[in-house]
Amino acid sequence: MDITGDKKSLIISTTKSGILLYNFHLGEELATFKDHTCQKYPVKCRVSKDSSYFITGSEDSIVYIYNFISDKNVGVLYGHTDVVSCVDLNARDYTAVSASFD
């Protein structure tokens, strides 16, 4: 899981329901993201510094980029051949790093 920049919401990666955007001040779920695959292994997700998007790993060997405003997948990054279990973002220049079982 990761916390948004405004410290009001967090994203939670689950193996049952996809990734949930949850506002803990309001106590409610705001959105669910399900384009990636996460059924067997936990995968990490990271919110961008400006909280406009987040990235997540996936069991289908792809890194997914989601937009918070549109609640949609806005891009994918290829390069792995197995489960992408961990991702992170460099806050200075928005470069991404990913780790996989490959």
Side-chain angles (χ1 to χ4, degrees):
M1 83 178 145
D2 200 10
I3 299 175
T4 58
D6 63 5
K7 309 264 189 275
K8 293 181 181 177
S9 300
L10 55 105
I11 55 172
I12 305 164
S13 179
T14 72
T15 56
K16 301 279 185 217
S17 304
I19 293 177
L20 308 176
L21 175 62
Y22 185 82
N23 183 299
F24 47 81
H25 290 289
L26 299 175
E28 64 185 38
E29 183 182 317
L30 302 176
T32 303
F33 304 87
K34 292 187 176 186
D35 289 343
H36 67 292
T37 304
C38 181
Q39 298 172 348
K40 192 174 180 182
Y41 300 100
V43 296
K44 301 241 180 184
C45 45
R46 286 289 178 245
V47 176
S48 64
K49 183 179 178 181
D50 64 1
S51 295
S52 61
Y53 68 93
F54 72 91
I55 65 172
T56 184
S58 180
E59 291 176 7
D60 62 4
S61 74
I62 300 171
V63 174
Y64 287 82
I65 305 166
Y66 288 98
N67 182 290
F68 279 119
I69 295 166
S70 69
D71 296 344
K72 301 223 185 290
N73 170 6
V74 295
V76 294
L77 303 172
Y78 299 98
H80 291 289
T81 59
D82 207 340
V83 174
V84 179
S85 58
C86 188
V87 293
D88 207 351
L89 290 169
N90 181 323
R92 285 185 279 186
D93 63 5
Y94 292 104
T95 50
V97 63
S98 58
S100 173
F101 292 0
D102 56 11

